[in-house]
Structures are given as structure tokens and as C-alpha cells.
Amino acid sequence: MAPAEAVRPDKDMQQCIQACLECHRVCLETVTYCLRKGGKHAEASHIRLLMDCAEICQTSANFLLRGSELHTRTCFACAEVCQRCADSCAAMGEDSMMKACEDMCRRCEESCRKMDGGLMPQVPNPEAAQRAADLPA
Amino acid sequence: MAPAEAVRPDKDMQQCIQACLECHRVCLETVTYCLRKGGKHAEASHIRLLMDCAEICQTSANFLLRGSELHTRTCFACAEVCQRCADSCAAMGEDSMMKACEDMCRRCEESCRKMDGGLMPQVPNPEAAQRAADLPA
Amino acid sequence: MAPAEAVRPDKDMQQCIQACLECHRVCLETVTYCLRKGGKHAEASHIRLLMDCAEICQTSANFLLRGSELHTRTCFACAEVCQRCADSCAAMGEDSMMKACEDMCRRCEESCRKMDGGLMPQVPNPEAAQRAADLPA
Amino acid sequence: MAPAEAVRPDKDMQQCIQACLECHRVCLETVTYCLRKGGKHAEASHIRLLMDCAEICQTSANFLLRGSELHTRTCFACAEVCQRCADSCAAMGEDSMMKACEDMCRRCEESCRKMDGGLMPQVPNPEAAQRAADLPA
């Protein structure tokens, strides 16, 4: 198959598109919920992660919908952001909306990890990777 | 500094925001140019890369503008897409518009590589990395 | 109800969100199809309309998902772009992919017209409106 | 000139692209500022307007950059959202960041009004128009 010829999305890809689109939607709706609720739900870092997650899910879905080869890179970024967003939702404690958002993010992360083309199948230097992961903005 | 506290963008970050915004713009304008020109310029794989590049540049700029910690992941994806887009423009041969787009993509790639938090400082297994890079969509 | 209090999306709104998301998806997939097919399918004006339609559908869906009051304006723009995109697909002649895209655009247009808040319920001066609609870019 | 032939952006169009891109940037940065500041600055309706404004500015810029005929519709939507966002910023009282965002939104509104192709040059029924403008989401 020539690189130029993107194929019809296969089953994993279709599931990933669906997961990204649903996660985008849930995150956007959760932003509104959190801003209304206020308090820790409306903290800048949490709202920002939800906005990040909604946006990268959209971008990731668009790469998949275009049949772009480089969806491996956007899926990788998407998985990483989904993971952090899920953790941030989990940290909010008992709250059915946050639980639903966390679950969606975890499903989307899992789906994106399958699509990242083995981009980071194993970490050669876990400590360095962890330091990179913990880098502040 | 708490992870939640995104800082004012520093100089490298400001340059990266600017590069992403400019690259987004150039890629979008180049899509129109290539579609009009037709022939190999309008091949699906080339147009798709330009659309990919425009979109990930926009997303990458937005993560940086929000001061998101996870800009490291979007900058990594952006650098990768810019690199491929530059190569695709270079392959079009003598054409000042394509040369300008290639140059912009290379500048944006370089700027994004500086911001990717050492996500992939060295490739442990170049062959595996190459296979991943060559994965068809 | 205070303007600030966006409500849970009602049935029309839910349908409109769904229509916009589906139309976004179909348009993006159709871009790839048209670029591969080449010829008049790949003409700049047609590809541009598909890209326009995909993007405004996304934006319109996002306004609705955020419960934004000003979704009336984005729905109006979306309806207008969908209408033109449907016409452009119809002009391609017999082609099941183009027919599917046309149908989706017409459904999305109809759904968005219901949500535009009576923004343009009747045209006071049809000729002026037509001239505005025919304005070149 | 055939409608299909988008022209090189003229001076007004170039200014409008620039205004949209700058307004997008300022609104995104202001979201972060407001979320950190908390209180009325972080109210859902205000944050939502800033997010709306950032997104429609981006979409409007993209239509202009693609040379799309239907930029008249996205510029109209953009002008409307900018106007509301400026008002919302003004309502925050003395605050240099909000003042800067208000000014940028007013400049972008003015620039977009010039580009809306006389879409709504005069309101045939101001009361109906006002009711439409006041429609809750």
C-alpha cells in the first residue's frame, strides 16, 4: 500500500474515532458543569485540562477521519492528555459527573494507546521519562 | 511552583507560539495554492499533510497559549507533523510557495522540538522508531 | 431564567448537536474521497467548501455543547455553509458519496435553521440579500 | 471573476485576519487569567464567552485564510460574539487585563463588520432583531 493511500478506517480506528468524539463532547460539557459548581471544580488547572482534553480529542479524531498517517502522533498526545484529565477528575472525589468524565477519558486513552503505532512501546529510561512527564509548564 | 500554576510564557515559549501560529497560516494558504495548481501539488497525501500541519499547529499554539503543562506532547506531535510536511513540500521541486512553506515548517519543527520536554531525547532503537514512523495510516 | 444560566440542551438542540457532529465527520471523509477521485471533485472551490463546512459544523457543535447563548449566530453561519456545500455536492452529478454528503448537509442545515433564533426570519430585501449571498470572496 | 476563484486577500481582509488571530490569542490568555483570579471573573457565563470568542475568531480567520466566499457569514458571527465578549469584559470593572481584552474584541468586531458583506446592513424590524439578540440559549 502506498503511503499516500489512506485506507478505510478499520475496526480499531473506528472505535478510536468514536471514543475521541465522545470524549471531546463529555469534556466540553464537563467544563460548563465545573464552572457552575465552582470551588475546586473550577480551579484553573482542572478547567484547563478539560479544555486541553476536548481540543486534542477533536484534533485526534480529525487526523483519524482524514486517514492521516501521522495519527500515531496525535493519538499519543491524546492518550497522554486523557490520562491526566482522568486523574484530575478522579481527584475531585464523589461526583457522578466527574466519574463519568473520568471513565470516558480512560476509555479514550486506552483506545488511543492502541493507535499510537508503538510510538513509545517501552520506556528506555523510566526515570528520565518520569522527569519529562513531571516537567512543569 | 505548583504544577497547577502555569507561568507567563518565557522567551522560547513565545517564539514557539509565534512559529505555530505562522506555520498554521502558511499551511492553510498553501492548501488553496496547491488545489488551484493541481497535478502533484493537489495529490491527496500532500493536501492532507498540509491540513494536518495547519491543525496541529493551531492545537499546539492553543496549548501554549493556555499555559498547559501537556504542551510537551502537542509540541512533539507538531514537530513530527511539521517535519513530514516540510519533506512533502520539498518533494514538489522548484516552487517559491512550496519553498516558503517548507522553510516555515522547518522553523516551527525546530521551535517545537525545544519545547517537547525531552520527550524523545534519543531514540533507543532507531529501527523500531523508523518502523513506527513508516506505519501506514 | 438568567441569560448566564445555559440550560440542559433540549431535544431540538440535542438533534442539532448530533447533526453538526455527523456533518463534520462526513465532510472530512468526503474531502479525502474527492482528493483521490481528482478532476472536478478535487477543484479548489469544492474542497474549500467541504473544509469550510467541516469546520463551521465543529464550531457550531461546540457552541451548542457549551450551552452558549450565541449558538444562534454560529447555527446561522452553519446553515448557510451547509446549504452551499450541499449544492456543490449535488453539482457533482451521480456519485453515491456526494449524494450522502449532500443529504447530510441538508439535514444539518435544516436542524441549524431551527436553532438560529429567528435571526433572519424573513428577508426584507431579497435582491440585496441575494447580492450579499453572491458576493465573491 | 468566477465565484470559485478566491482572490488574494485585500487590505481589509488582511487586517481582519490579523484582528481575528490576535483576538483569538488574547481571549485564550484571558481565560487563564480569569480562572486564576476567581470570583466574578471566573463565572461560567464570562468564561464561556471568552471560549466562544476565541473559537469563532479562529474559525473566522481560517475562512479568510482559505479565501472562502462564505467568510461573510463567519465574520458576521464573529462580530456578534466579539461584541458580547467585549461587553462582558467591560462589566468586570477596573482591570487592565479585562480592558485589553475588551479593546481587542471591539477592534475585531469592527474589522469583521466590514467583512460581513452587508449581511445585515439595516435591521428591518429593530424590535424583532433585539428580541432575537436577547434570546436565551
Side-chain angles (χ1 to χ4, degrees):
Chain A
M1 193 187 66
E5 295 301 315
V7 284
R8 274 265 88 190
D10 65 16
K11 194 163 148 266
D12 274 353
M13 207 176 265
Q14 285 292 359
Q15 284 182 346
C16 194
I17 291 169
Q18 203 52 41
C20 288
L21 292 174
E22 284 174 28
C23 195
H24 166 73
R25 178 179 186 145
V26 169
C27 286
L28 263 198
E29 291 175 338
T30 304
V31 167
T32 303
Y33 170 80
C34 286
L35 288 172
R36 295 248 186 77
K37 202 164 166 75
K40 66 181 175 178
H41 284 75
E43 275 172 17
S45 59
H46 182 58
I47 298 294
R48 185 165 53 217
L49 262 175
L50 288 165
M51 290 169 69
D52 287 349
C53 199
E55 184 170 23
I56 192 67
C57 283
Q58 186 172 270
T59 297
S60 181
N62 288 347
F63 269 65
L64 291 163
L65 287 168
R66 279 194 292 269
S68 303
E69 295 171 63
L70 290 162
H71 72 265
T72 51
R73 272 62 169 177
T74 44
C75 279
F76 171 67
C78 193
E80 295 274 297
V81 177
C82 282
Q83 183 178 10
R84 291 289 190 93
C85 191
D87 292 345
S88 186
C89 289
M92 291 295 145
E94 293 301 314
D95 183 324
S96 63
M97 278 291 283
M98 302 318 301
K99 185 77 182 75
C101 192
E102 181 197 349
D103 289 348
M104 186 66 242
C105 290
R106 302 240 185 260
R107 275 206 302 284
C108 190
E109 182 202 348
E110 188 184 7
S111 199
C112 282
R113 295 271 181 222
K114 282 190 204 164
M115 305 303 297
D116 73 4
L119 194 59
M120 299 189 99
Q122 61 215 55
V123 176
N125 180 342
E127 264 182 64
Q130 193 50 49
R131 279 197 304 277
D134 290 336
L135 272 183
Chain B
M1 192 187 66
E5 296 302 317
V7 285
R8 274 266 88 191
D10 65 18
K11 192 161 149 270
D12 275 352
M13 205 177 268
Q14 285 291 0
Q15 284 182 343
C16 194
I17 292 169
Q18 203 53 41
C20 288
L21 293 175
E22 284 173 27
C23 194
H24 165 74
R25 179 179 186 145
V26 170
C27 286
L28 263 198
E29 291 174 338
T30 305
V31 167
T32 303
Y33 170 79
C34 287
L35 288 172
R36 294 246 185 80
K37 201 163 167 72
K40 67 180 175 177
H41 283 76
E43 273 172 18
S45 60
H46 182 58
I47 298 295
R48 187 165 52 217
L49 262 175
L50 288 165
M51 290 170 68
D52 288 349
C53 199
E55 184 169 21
I56 192 67
C57 283
Q58 184 173 273
T59 297
S60 181
N62 288 347
F63 269 66
L64 291 163
L65 286 168
R66 278 194 292 270
S68 303
E69 295 171 65
L70 290 162
H71 72 264
T72 52
R73 270 64 170 175
T74 44
C75 279
F76 170 67
C78 193
E80 295 274 296
V81 177
C82 283
Q83 183 179 10
R84 292 288 191 93
C85 191
D87 292 346
S88 186
C89 289
M92 291 295 143
E94 293 301 313
D95 182 323
S96 65
M97 278 290 284
M98 303 316 303
K99 185 76 182 80
C101 192
E102 181 196 349
D103 289 348
M104 186 65 244
C105 289
R106 301 236 186 264
R107 275 207 302 285
C108 189
E109 182 201 347
E110 188 184 8
S111 199
C112 282
R113 296 267 181 225
K114 281 190 206 162
M115 305 303 296
D116 73 4
L119 195 58
M120 298 188 100
Q122 61 216 57
V123 177
N125 179 344
E127 264 182 64
Q130 194 48 49
R131 278 198 303 279
D134 289 336
L135 270 184
Chain C
M1 192 188 69
E5 295 301 318
V7 284
R8 275 265 86 191
D10 65 16
K11 194 162 148 269
D12 274 353
M13 205 176 268
Q14 285 292 359
Q15 284 181 344
C16 195
I17 291 169
Q18 202 54 41
C20 289
L21 293 175
E22 284 174 26
C23 195
H24 164 73
R25 178 181 184 144
V26 169
C27 286
L28 263 198
E29 291 175 337
T30 303
V31 167
T32 303
Y33 170 80
C34 287
L35 289 172
R36 293 244 188 82
K37 200 163 166 74
K40 67 180 175 178
H41 284 76
E43 274 171 18
S45 60
H46 182 57
I47 298 294
R48 184 165 54 218
L49 263 175
L50 288 166
M51 289 170 69
D52 287 350
C53 199
E55 183 168 22
I56 192 67
C57 283
Q58 185 172 273
T59 297
S60 181
N62 288 347
F63 268 67
L64 291 163
L65 286 168
R66 278 195 292 269
S68 303
E69 294 171 64
L70 291 162
H71 72 264
T72 52
R73 272 62 169 177
T74 44
C75 279
F76 171 68
C78 193
E80 296 274 296
V81 178
C82 282
Q83 184 179 9
R84 292 290 190 92
C85 190
D87 292 346
S88 186
C89 289
M92 291 295 143
E94 293 301 313
D95 183 325
S96 64
M97 278 291 284
M98 303 317 301
K99 186 76 184 75
C101 191
E102 181 196 351
D103 289 348
M104 187 65 243
C105 289
R106 301 240 184 262
R107 275 207 302 284
C108 189
E109 182 201 349
E110 188 184 7
S111 197
C112 282
R113 295 269 181 224
K114 283 189 204 163
M115 305 302 299
D116 73 4
L119 195 59
M120 299 191 100
Q122 60 217 56
V123 176
N125 180 343
E127 264 182 63
Q130 192 51 50
R131 279 198 303 278
D134 290 337
L135 271 183
Chain D
M1 192 189 67
E5 296 302 314
V7 285
R8 274 266 88 190
D10 65 16
K11 190 160 152 270
D12 274 352
M13 206 177 268
Q14 285 292 0
Q15 283 182 346
C16 195
I17 291 169
Q18 203 53 41
C20 288
L21 292 175
E22 283 173 28
C23 194
H24 165 73
R25 178 179 186 145
V26 169
C27 286
L28 263 198
E29 291 175 337
T30 304
V31 167
T32 303
Y33 170 80
C34 287
L35 288 172
R36 295 247 183 77
K37 199 161 167 75
K40 67 181 175 178
H41 283 76
E43 273 172 18
S45 59
H46 182 57
I47 298 294
R48 186 165 51 218
L49 263 174
L50 288 165
M51 290 170 68
D52 287 350
C53 200
E55 184 169 22
I56 192 69
C57 284
Q58 185 172 273
T59 297
S60 182
N62 288 346
F63 269 65
L64 291 162
L65 286 168
R66 279 194 292 268
S68 303
E69 295 171 62
L70 290 162
H71 73 264
T72 51
R73 274 60 170 177
T74 43
C75 279
F76 171 68
C78 192
E80 295 275 296
V81 177
C82 283
Q83 183 178 10
R84 292 290 190 91
C85 190
D87 292 346
S88 186
C89 289
M92 292 293 143
E94 293 301 313
D95 182 325
S96 64
M97 277 290 284
M98 303 317 303
K99 187 78 183 75
C101 190
E102 181 196 349
D103 290 347
M104 186 65 243
C105 290
R106 301 235 186 265
R107 276 206 302 284
C108 189
E109 182 201 349
E110 189 185 5
S111 198
C112 282
R113 296 271 181 222
K114 283 190 205 163
M115 304 303 297
D116 74 4
L119 195 59
M120 300 190 99
Q122 61 216 56
V123 177
N125 180 343
E127 264 183 63
Q130 193 50 51
R131 279 198 305 278
D134 290 334
L135 270 184

